[in-house]
Amino acid sequence: MAAVLPLDAARPHKARPAADARSRVRPGFSFGKYREIVVAVALFLLFDLGVLVLNFYTSFQIDQDTVAINLAGRQRYVSQRIARTLLELDAARAAGRPYEPGTLAELRAGARIFELSHAAFKAGATVPGGDGKPVFLAAVTSPRGRELEARVDALWQPYYEKLLPLMQDGFGPGELSAALAYSQANNLRLLDAANDFVTETQVLGASRASTLRLVQTAGIVLALLNFAFILFKFLRRLQTSDAAIEAVDEENRAILQSVREGLFLLTPDFRLGSQVSRSAQGLFGRPLEPGQDFFALLEPLLDARALADARDYVQLLFAPHVKEALVQGINPLSEVEARVHHRLGHEVIRHLSFHFNRVVEGGAVRHLLVTVQDVSARIELERALASERQRSQKEFEMLLKAVHADPTMLAQFVGRAEAHLLGINEMLRATSGAQGETAVLRGIDEARRRVHAIKGDAATLGLETLAAHAHQFEDALDRIRQGGAGDLGQALLTLPLPLEEMLHKVGALRSLTGLQRRAATEEPPRGGTTINAMLARLAEHVAGDAGRKVQPTVALGALADLPPPQADLLREIAVQLLRNAITHGIEPSAERIERGKPEAGKVVARLTRAEGEWVLVVRDDGAGLSAPRIRERLLELGWYTQEQLDTLPDRQVVSYIFKPGFSTADALSLHAGRGVGLDVVQANVQKLGARITLASTPGAYTEFRIRFPA
């Protein structure tokens, strides 16, 4: 990709790609850009502060007016109590009774309270409130209030002077009469003045309450207007921003719909971001949901160990102190095999590669940008190249071994192999489905014997690549033979290709034999590898592949005294019996030790001439032939029923090891399992006009002996 897509998010209802885009459109705060909103908010705060201060001040004044109203009302009440107590004291005097202490106390308390409150109304002072607690009473400041206070003062001061003697004990009747006379003469005037004063304080309080309501109303109206202005400006800005965001979101959606890679964000809690590219859905073969657990998505694709490694790796990427470049090379998700279903519902295998990039903000890793690519084509190409490289390497090794092989034996092998393969080719050309199933299967069996002989000869010379091709050709022949009574003619059409491949390999070896002959005319002849050493090496190679140890003894030097046709047939017999002895006779080392045998098995292949005949002996000290095991295998193959097997003697049962397709091997391998090796032996014995004898003791040995006239 040319650039990393901005896939972060800022608001829950907006896509993460748009959020990163917003950060690029609006990289920082600009006072000039938001001046109107900032000024409007500042004015709004100032209005609120001003209204709050005015409310506080006006409320304080109203509290003062309330105190004044209450105390002005108390003044009116106290003036009436003073007049009443004077009448009570005068009535007691006239009756000759002593003055009641409570009445005197009430008179004196009323006079003091009136005097203190009156003084406070004039100049302001702290006086006892209605509940007896001290309260501050502010001086009357309004013109009407000052006027009324002056009227009260003009009436009260003479009144208070006449009451002063009564404030002390031992006052005389004349002092009481003077105070009572003044009270009766001026009480109504004082009451009127007190009433007017109360009314004035109430008017002042109501005025201040009206002012407070006006201030509050004006403040609310101004605040609402300011808020409407802010809202208008904010909505315009928001509309502009949303338009920019929608444009960026649309671009992101277009990108996520068109990119071929899978793209999504991974959050610190390992969940998918809000947007996922369309290709990611197809790569995983199922819908991907925002918020889906990333490792739950990977769980069907990885084993437990690989999933744990992936979790540890992603956690490392979210650690800001870990260098991203240092951990890229240990990405366990660089190649993940996934089995997905395409649109037609068929399962396909894909190879996905996950790449992670950090999204860092403020020194912290906020997200990981995950890129998923389908690297199946690359993997297939790499595997094809590796396979081709391996094939070329094996062919080179085969040619290298052929160079070091005995020239005569190599030339003989090439001649025999070409003859076998060309014979198979002629046989296949002459065979058709119209000849009948029996004739076709007979031709297939002959082809299997010839290919098996080539495989044994190639293994003897160390030409493993050619032996492997022969093994594959045997697979093709086995599939046709086991296919039943189908279209055999059509099945035979699959054989020319592997046959041509083998002919090509043998042709390369023929060219090599020509080079060897030219080299032999220019250089002194070299000893080369004898047949004994080659078969001994073959025995060790087969034993190694089968997980066994063997000590081969090979003495077939007398083959050089035989005519080439007989020598070739006898050598093929020796190869097949040697391979058979190791794969079916020699036990694994642990089993041999358990039975008290040496760890390495012994295999002997010897050709001798005595009493006018040639004798080939191949003997091993392995497990021997087991008639019960052969019976069991015949039953598994369906060749006989249990009732039929019960009627057969062991000698006849053991003879089935020479039948085509019979093998006691548990699994097919390069060296055993097809049931062809002993079939080749028997066919060659018949061509030699020889006779074969078999001797075996279970757990001790097996010996094949082939005799034919010298």
Side-chain angles (χ1 to χ4, degrees):
M1 295 179 61
V4 175
L5 294 180
L7 292 178
D8 197 8
R11 295 192 301 179
H13 68 284
K14 289 295 179 183
R16 284 184 169 83
D20 271 359
R22 286 200 303 271
S23 66
R24 294 190 298 175
V25 173
R26 207 166 49 217
F29 177 78
S30 174
F31 178 77
K33 186 175 181 179
Y34 299 98
R35 182 189 300 110
E36 294 176 343
I37 295 178
V38 172
V39 171
V41 171
L43 290 175
F44 180 77
L45 294 176
L46 288 176
F47 288 151
D48 283 351
L49 181 61
V51 171
L52 181 63
V53 171
L54 288 174
N55 281 343
F56 179 78
Y57 175 75
T58 307
S59 298
F60 175 76
Q61 292 295 324
I62 291 175
D63 288 342
Q64 292 294 315
D65 291 341
T66 302
V67 171
I69 292 171
N70 291 335
L71 294 185
R74 187 178 67 178
Q75 291 291 78
R76 179 177 57 186
Y77 170 75
V78 167
S79 67
Q80 296 304 307
R81 292 296 296 171
I82 292 173
R84 184 176 61 80
T85 55
L86 287 175
L87 290 173
E88 290 177 354
L89 290 174
D90 185 64
R93 179 190 61 75
R97 297 192 307 270
Y99 300 131
E100 292 290 337
T103 304
L104 287 174
E106 184 177 358
L107 173 66
R108 293 167 181 173
R112 282 195 299 272
I113 287 296
F114 195 99
E115 174 60 21
L116 290 174
S117 300
H118 177 65
F121 277 122
K122 289 194 298 182
T126 300
V127 297
D131 55 358
K133 296 179 180 179
V135 295
F136 180 77
L137 181 61
V140 178
T141 57
S142 65
R144 174 64 176 167
R146 298 300 298 177
E147 177 185 349
L148 292 174
E149 181 58 29
R151 284 175 54 193
V152 171
D153 184 67
L155 294 171
W156 171 251
Q157 288 302 327
Y159 198 3
Y160 184 65
E161 290 177 359
K162 296 185 182 301
L163 291 174
L164 282 176
L166 304 181
M167 305 294 286
Q168 305 295 327
D169 293 336
F171 59 86
E175 296 169 329
L176 176 59
S177 298
L180 179 60
Y182 188 84
S183 173
Q184 290 177 343
N186 298 285
N187 184 51
L188 291 177
R189 295 171 58 196
L190 181 60
L191 180 61
D192 290 339
N195 285 333
D196 292 340
F197 187 75
V198 169
T199 302
E200 177 62 17
T201 56
Q202 291 175 342
V203 170
L204 290 175
S207 174
R208 287 195 175 92
S210 298
T211 302
L212 177 61
R213 286 191 295 272
L214 180 62
V215 169
Q216 289 175 337
T217 302
I220 291 173
V221 170
L222 291 175
L224 289 175
L225 292 175
N226 201 306
F227 178 75
F229 177 78
I230 294 172
L231 186 61
F232 173 74
K233 290 294 183 181
F234 179 77
L235 289 177
R236 287 189 60 187
R237 294 290 183 187
L238 186 61
Q239 185 178 13
T240 303
S241 299
D242 284 346
I245 292 170
E246 288 297 331
V248 174
D249 283 351
E250 185 60 34
E251 292 177 3
N252 282 339
R253 281 192 292 270
I255 293 173
L256 290 175
Q257 294 292 329
S258 61
V259 293
R260 299 181 62 182
E261 295 85 357
L263 289 177
F264 54 85
L265 281 176
L266 195 60
T267 63
D269 58 350
F270 314 125
R271 296 190 176 277
L272 272 60
S274 62
Q275 289 199 25
V276 181
S277 67
R278 176 186 293 176
S279 296
Q281 317 277 350
L283 290 175
F284 283 93
R286 53 177 168 159
L288 303 184
E289 300 295 335
Q292 187 174 359
D293 187 272
F294 179 60
F295 296 110
L297 184 66
L298 293 180
E299 189 172 3
L301 310 180
L302 304 174
D303 56 32
R305 177 64 182 275
L307 188 64
D309 291 342
R311 185 181 296 274
D312 293 340
Y313 177 72
V314 174
Q315 287 176 341
L316 278 178
L317 290 176
F318 273 109
H321 63 278
V322 177
K323 298 293 185 182
E324 184 176 2
L326 295 179
V327 297
Q328 289 288 359
I330 61 172
N331 182 3
L333 299 176
S334 59
E335 183 182 322
V336 176
E337 183 176 294
R339 295 181 179 271
V340 301
H341 292 82
H342 58 50
R343 287 178 295 180
L344 298 179
H346 298 150
E347 185 179 73
V348 295
I349 297 178
R350 288 181 179 157
H351 292 84
L352 306 180
S353 177
F354 293 78
H355 185 74
F356 300 86
N357 289 101
R358 287 171 167 173
V359 179
V360 181
E361 184 174 322
V365 182
R366 290 192 58 194
H367 300 89
L368 294 179
L369 176 63
V370 185
T371 306
V372 188
Q373 293 178 310
D374 186 352
V375 295
S376 301
R378 189 197 75 194
I379 298 299
E380 290 177 4
L381 180 59
E382 289 177 353
R383 290 179 177 177
L385 290 175
S387 177
E388 183 63 24
R389 190 181 299 112
Q390 185 178 14
R391 186 185 66 82
S392 300
Q393 180 66 23
K394 287 183 177 180
E395 290 186 358
F396 176 76
E397 291 175 356
M398 181 188 74
L399 294 175
L400 189 62
K401 289 183 179 180
V403 167
H404 292 89
D406 182 86
T408 302
M409 295 192 68
L410 181 62
Q412 292 174 351
F413 166 72
V414 170
R416 290 192 305 271
E418 283 188 333
H420 281 320
L421 293 174
L422 291 174
I424 293 173
N425 187 48
E426 289 299 323
M427 181 186 61
L428 292 176
R429 290 176 60 185
T431 302
S432 67
Q435 293 178 327
E437 181 183 350
T438 302
V440 173
L441 293 179
R442 188 162 48 247
I444 293 296
D445 285 340
E446 178 60 26
R448 291 171 73 228
R449 282 192 288 269
R450 295 188 181 190
V451 174
H452 200 76
I454 294 174
K455 183 169 73 171
D457 287 344
T460 302
L461 290 170
L463 307 177
E464 286 85 1
T465 302
L466 188 57
H469 278 287
H471 189 72
Q472 293 172 1
F473 195 6
E474 285 184 298
D475 288 339
L477 292 171
D478 284 349
R479 284 194 293 270
I480 295 175
R481 194 177 190 281
Q482 296 169 5
D487 189 353
L488 292 176
Q490 187 70 24
L492 291 175
L493 296 178
T494 63
L495 296 179
L497 187 60
L499 180 61
E500 182 181 355
E501 182 73 14
M502 287 193 66
L503 281 169
H504 174 74
K505 301 293 186 221
V506 174
L509 292 176
R510 173 170 288 284
S511 300
L512 185 61
T513 59
L515 292 174
Q516 285 181 317
R517 283 195 297 271
R518 286 195 296 272
T521 62
E522 299 171 1
E523 299 178 0
R526 32 181 198 169
T529 304
T530 65
I531 184 64
N532 294 336
M534 292 172 61
L535 288 179
R537 185 179 63 188
L538 172 64
E540 293 174 350
H541 176 68
V542 173
D545 287 350
R548 292 162 170 77
K549 292 184 178 181
V550 68
Q551 291 179 347
T553 301
V554 182
L556 299 178
L559 285 174
D561 299 332
L562 289 169
Q566 289 182 327
D568 289 343
L569 292 173
L570 204 61
R571 180 189 44 76
E572 287 183 1
I573 292 173
V575 169
Q576 299 303 329
L577 290 177
L578 197 63
R579 288 156 60 96
N580 186 78
I582 296 171
T583 55
H584 294 285
I586 301 300
E587 310 95 326
S589 298
E591 185 176 334
R592 291 180 62 86
I593 294 174
E594 184 179 348
R595 293 179 177 181
K597 294 183 178 182
E599 182 180 8
K602 293 181 179 180
V603 179
V604 177
R606 182 180 292 110
L607 176 64
T608 60
R609 180 176 180 176
E611 299 178 358
E613 66 179 0
W614 291 99
V615 180
L616 173 65
V617 176
V618 179
R619 179 187 177 98
D620 67 81
D621 66 344
L625 289 172
S626 171
R629 172 61 182 139
I630 297 174
R631 290 177 183 273
E632 180 183 346
R633 184 60 178 158
L634 288 171
L635 189 63
E636 291 174 357
L637 292 173
W639 290 9
Y640 288 97
T641 64
Q642 185 63 53
E643 292 76 10
Q644 292 171 331
L645 287 173
D646 291 341
T647 64
L648 299 178
D650 287 348
R651 185 183 185 88
Q652 184 177 351
V653 168
V654 171
S655 68
Y656 275 94
I657 64 175
F658 294 99
K659 295 296 183 180
F662 181 85
S663 176
T664 57
D666 295 327
L668 178 64
S669 69
L670 185 64
H671 307 291
R674 297 190 186 275
V676 182
L678 293 182
D679 181 29
V680 171
V681 170
Q682 182 163 293
N684 285 1
V685 167
Q686 292 174 355
K687 291 176 183 178
L688 280 171
R691 62 186 184 278
I692 184 170
T693 59
L694 170 63
S696 180
T697 299
Y701 77 96
T702 299
E703 179 182 285
F704 291 88
R705 190 176 292 268
I706 292 93
R707 298 173 183 271
F708 62 96

